[in-house]
């Protein structure tokens, strides 16, 4: 275990729970206040504009009920004020006196090629306004340099509709929220537009005041919840956990690399919260007692286990190792065959098999004794292992060996095969050696072919056949 892990276990590198809870709750309350403020603003903004819409509809419908459409249409067409026109002007002026609106007017947009102008029909005003600052707008008055081209196009677009339209309108008179009702005569002509404006600044000021008041209230309630929650959390969770942590860390420091079970003593922090933290503290206390007993039993059993592991390892060696040559035996070859066949079934097999049968073993046994026959087997096996130092070698019979070629030895199989043959040839031709040191063998090599072979045994059979053919050639050459 490295030093960094030791420090983490002993509590020297940590992020305090109280700080994490504080930051999380603070972030949560802040986000909640922000979301509630946005929702409050949007909700009140929608509700306020809806109320203004209703209010402006009432004004438009009230004024519309006092308009003689045909008479006003003729006035607009001829530019001559009628008696009803004059009465309508007085009535609209009274509306300006009685209702809290910015402007009330009737206009007609004109679009002719590149010319975009607005014609005044009626511009209502208060009595004080007409006396102190009359606008001088009369029937047919052309409003030049007052409306931009885009505004006139917009008024014309809404005039062509059959229903009331609402839009924000920025002009030389200010920034207003406008409700516009098209006036349609008996011919179906949309000859003028009745409009009422409310100052957007007033609307936005009302929204802002309401929103600020709600944000302050939400922030106050959030702060109260934040404080109360932290007090409750500190009393029932964070402070008890801190006590529990102190006791556990102290226990960990004493027990770190400790081999004496009697020193594994845990100090009870005395937590009485009647919740899960108290249950956890009691569980840790009981666990420390159980740990003392457990460690003692572990130490007692450790020696026995190690002895058993040594015995098992020795038995494995004996079970799968050839006693004479110390290479793997037939039992291990059978286990390896299961693994290779599994690779074949998965399409991941890539291997070759070399079958080696030692020559002249019977002759050496008969002429020089079995002791030198064993020397012959051991020496030949050693040479095979030297050349195929990256491949498992199996003794599958008295004088028969199998090499399983995989990975690098598989890639270099032709070179290694020739090297083995040359090595045995040199041993045979060296007259300075004893007869049991002149190693000779028949060799056959086969490579797995997914189109021909369905198992490792198929490759083994082909290698065995090639080995047998090599043995026959060798006998024929000696005769």
């Amino acid at each position: 275990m490295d030093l960094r892990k030791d420090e983490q276990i002993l509590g020297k590198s940590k992020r305090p729970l109280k700080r994490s809870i504080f930051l999380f709750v603070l972030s949560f309350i802040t986000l909640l206040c922000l979301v509630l403020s946005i929702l409050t603003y949007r909700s009140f903004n929608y509700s306020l504009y809806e109320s203004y819409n209703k209010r402006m509809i009432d004004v438009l419908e009230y004024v519309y009920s006092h308009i003689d459409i045909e008479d006003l249409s003729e006035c607009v067409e001829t530019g001559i004020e009628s008696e009803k026109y004059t009465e309508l002007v007085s009535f609209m002026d009274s509306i300006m006196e009685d209702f809290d609106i910015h402007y009330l007017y009737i206009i007609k947009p004109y679009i002719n090629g590149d010319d975009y102008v607005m014609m005044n029909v009626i511009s209502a005003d208060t009595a004080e306004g007409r006396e102190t600052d009359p606008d001088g707008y009369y029937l047919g008055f052309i409003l030049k340099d007052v409306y931009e081209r885009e505004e006139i196009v917009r008024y014309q677009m809404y005039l062509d509709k059959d229903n009331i339209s609402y839009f924000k309108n920025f002009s030389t008179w200010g920034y207003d929220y406008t409700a516009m009702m098209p006036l349609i005569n008996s011919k179906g002509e949309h000859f003028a537009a009745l409009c009422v404006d409310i100052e957007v600044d007033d609307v936005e000021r009302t929204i802002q005041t309401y929103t600020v008041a709600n944000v302050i209230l939400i922030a106050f309630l959030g702060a109260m919840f934040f404080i109360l929650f932290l007090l409750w959390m500190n009393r029932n969770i964070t402070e008890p956990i801190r006590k529990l942590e102190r006791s556990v860390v102290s226990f960990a420091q004493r027990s770190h690399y400790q081999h004496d079970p009697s020193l594994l003593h845990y100090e009870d922090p005395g937590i009485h919260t009647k919740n899960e933290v108290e249950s956890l503290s009691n569980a840790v206390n009981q666990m420390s007692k159980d740990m003392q007993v457990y460690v003692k039993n572990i130490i007692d059993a450790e020696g026995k286990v190690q002895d058993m592991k040594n015995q098992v390892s020795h038995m494995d060696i004996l079970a799968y190792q050839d006693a004479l040559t110390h290479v793997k035996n037939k039992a291990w070859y059978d286990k390896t065959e299961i693994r290779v066949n599994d690779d074949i079934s998965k399409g991941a097999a890539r291997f070759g098999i070399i079958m080696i049968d030692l020559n002249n073993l019977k002759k050496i046994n008969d002429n020089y004794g079995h002791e030198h026959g064993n020397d012959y087997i051991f020496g030949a096996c050693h040479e095979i292992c030297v050349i195929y130092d990256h491949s498992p070698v199996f003794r599958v019979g008295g004088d028969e060996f199998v090499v399983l070629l995989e990975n690098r030895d598989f890639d270099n199989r032709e070179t290694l095969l020739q090297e083995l043959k040359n090595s045995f040839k040199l041993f045979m031709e060296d007259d300075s050696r004893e007869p049991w040191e002149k190693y000779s063998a028949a060799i056959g090599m086969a490579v797995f072919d997914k189109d021909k072979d369905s198992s490792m045994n198929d490759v083994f059979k082909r290698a065995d056949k090639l080995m047998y053919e090599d043995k026959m050639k060798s006998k024929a050459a000696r005769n």
Side-chain angles (χ1 to χ4, degrees):
M1 187 177 294
D2 58 28
L3 181 60
R4 191 173 184 179
K5 290 183 179 178
D6 290 346
E7 291 179 351
Q8 291 175 346
I9 291 176
L10 299 178
K12 296 180 181 179
S13 176
K14 61 183 180 179
R15 179 180 299 171
L17 179 63
K18 183 180 291 187
R19 185 181 68 181
S20 299
I21 293 176
F22 177 86
L23 293 176
F24 172 77
V25 176
L26 180 62
S27 301
F28 177 77
I29 295 298
T30 302
L31 179 62
L32 181 63
C33 290
L34 178 62
V35 171
L36 289 177
S37 300
I38 294 173
L39 291 177
T40 299
Y41 171 80
R42 296 187 64 176
S43 176
F44 183 70
N45 184 73
Y46 174 80
S47 300
L48 188 61
Y49 272 99
E50 282 294 309
S51 66
Y52 276 117
N53 289 348
K54 186 176 183 305
R55 180 180 172 190
M56 290 191 292
I57 288 176
D58 292 340
V59 172
L60 292 175
E61 290 180 345
Y62 186 45
V63 174
Y64 183 80
S65 66
H66 288 74
I67 297 177
D68 186 326
I69 294 296
E70 299 305 321
D71 180 77
L72 184 60
S73 176
E74 185 176 350
C75 291
V76 171
E77 183 177 354
T78 62
I80 299 174
E81 299 180 1
S82 66
E83 183 179 348
K84 291 182 178 181
Y85 173 88
T86 304
E87 293 175 356
L88 180 59
V89 172
S90 299
F91 174 74
M92 291 177 63
D93 286 350
S94 68
I95 296 296
M96 286 288 292
E97 292 283 355
D98 297 335
F99 291 85
D100 184 19
I101 56 178
H102 196 201
Y103 292 113
L104 178 63
Y105 53 97
I106 301 175
I107 55 176
K108 178 177 178 59
Y110 275 106
I111 300 176
N112 185 15
D114 294 333
D115 294 330
Y116 297 84
V117 296
M118 188 74 77
M119 185 186 84
N120 178 71
V121 178
I122 296 176
S123 180
D125 203 351
T126 62
E128 181 181 358
R130 290 194 182 279
E131 291 179 2
T132 59
D133 188 22
D135 54 27
Y137 293 164
Y138 52 83
L139 175 62
F141 181 79
I142 301 300
L143 303 172
K144 294 182 179 180
D145 302 326
V146 176
Y147 291 92
E148 297 291 337
R149 174 179 179 274
E150 292 77 9
E151 294 178 78
I152 297 175
V153 171
R154 180 170 56 183
Y155 271 96
Q156 183 62 56
M157 177 183 67
Y158 290 130
L159 176 60
D160 292 336
K161 295 184 177 181
D162 295 329
N163 57 328
I164 297 175
S165 301
Y166 306 92
F167 55 92
K168 290 183 179 180
N169 178 26
F170 186 80
S171 66
T172 55
W173 293 295
Y175 186 30
D176 293 320
Y177 182 55
T178 301
M180 174 178 166
M181 175 188 287
L183 300 178
I184 307 170
N185 59 25
S186 59
K187 299 178 183 179
E189 298 173 339
H190 295 229
F191 67 91
L194 171 62
C195 303
V196 59
D197 291 354
I198 294 177
E199 284 188 295
V200 172
D201 288 341
D202 292 340
V203 180
E204 298 295 340
R205 193 177 302 112
T206 302
I207 295 173
Q208 183 179 8
T209 302
Y210 178 83
T211 302
V212 170
N214 276 275
V215 168
I216 293 174
L217 178 61
I218 292 171
F220 174 76
L221 294 176
M224 291 297 296
F225 172 81
F226 178 69
I227 293 171
L228 293 175
F229 179 79
L230 286 183
L231 290 175
W232 177 88
M233 181 71 70
N234 186 65
R235 179 178 179 181
N236 292 278
I237 298 179
T238 55
E239 184 60 23
I241 288 180
R242 188 185 67 81
K243 292 180 179 179
L244 179 61
E245 178 211 25
R246 189 165 55 231
S247 296
V248 171
V249 169
S250 176
F251 175 74
Q253 290 173 336
R254 286 194 302 273
S255 62
H256 200 49
Y257 297 129
Q258 183 58 255
H259 298 286
D260 186 356
S262 63
L263 298 179
L264 298 177
H265 175 66
Y266 173 74
E267 296 178 0
D268 190 350
I271 297 173
H272 306 290
T273 57
K274 294 182 173 58
N275 58 20
E276 290 83 355
V277 180
E278 182 179 352
S279 299
L280 178 61
S281 176
N282 295 335
V284 172
N285 191 19
Q286 183 61 45
M287 182 179 67
S288 67
K289 296 176 182 178
D290 295 340
M291 188 178 295
Q292 286 181 313
V293 178
Y294 179 75
V295 170
K296 185 177 183 304
N297 293 336
I298 287 293
I299 292 174
D300 293 340
E302 191 176 35
K304 298 178 181 178
V305 171
Q306 187 60 45
D307 291 341
M308 293 176 63
K309 287 175 64 178
N310 293 337
Q311 292 178 15
V312 169
S313 298
H314 182 66
M315 290 173 64
D316 284 344
I317 293 173
L318 295 178
Y320 296 113
Q321 188 179 72
D322 180 59
L324 173 63
T325 62
H326 305 304
V327 298
K328 300 301 180 181
N329 59 17
K330 182 65 168 58
W332 189 256
Y333 177 83
D334 293 338
K335 288 178 64 70
T336 303
E337 185 176 7
I338 295 174
R339 190 264 299 173
V340 173
N341 285 339
D342 185 57
D343 290 342
I344 293 174
S345 65
K346 294 177 181 177
R350 183 173 176 269
F351 69 95
I353 288 179
I354 294 181
M355 184 65 192
I356 304 171
D357 187 271
L358 301 182
N359 297 324
N360 306 322
L361 178 60
K362 186 177 182 307
K363 179 180 178 181
I364 292 174
N365 282 331
D366 292 342
N367 295 332
Y368 305 103
H370 287 280
E371 182 179 350
H372 288 306
N374 289 340
D375 292 339
Y376 182 75
I377 295 172
F378 183 85
C381 178
H382 175 73
E383 190 63 23
I384 296 170
C385 292
V386 168
I387 293 175
Y388 292 100
D389 57 342
H390 293 93
S391 298
V393 178
F394 308 88
R395 185 184 180 192
V396 295
D399 56 358
E400 294 179 338
F401 293 88
V402 173
V403 181
L404 177 61
L405 299 175
E406 292 180 309
N407 303 319
R408 186 166 68 182
D409 282 1
F410 176 79
D411 295 333
N412 300 324
R413 58 188 178 276
E414 297 294 344
T415 301
L416 295 175
L417 178 62
Q418 189 59 48
E419 184 178 343
L420 180 63
K421 290 181 178 181
N422 291 339
S423 176
F424 282 158
K425 182 180 179 182
L426 290 175
F427 278 113
M428 282 296 296
E429 294 175 351
D430 188 355
D431 293 333
S432 65
R433 290 182 171 274
E434 298 292 343
W436 54 85
E437 293 177 344
K438 295 183 176 184
Y439 312 124
S440 174
I443 305 172
M445 181 177 71
V447 176
F448 171 73
D449 186 341
K450 63 180 180 179
D451 295 327
K452 296 179 180 179
D453 305 315
S454 60
S455 67
M456 181 178 175
N457 192 50
D458 293 338
V459 185
F460 175 85
K461 289 178 180 178
R462 287 195 283 111
D464 187 63
K465 180 180 178 182
L466 292 172
M467 180 274 296
Y468 181 77
E469 293 174 357
D470 184 50
K471 184 177 284 288
M472 294 299 101
K473 290 179 183 179
S474 177
K475 286 183 178 181
R478 290 198 298 270
N479 294 335

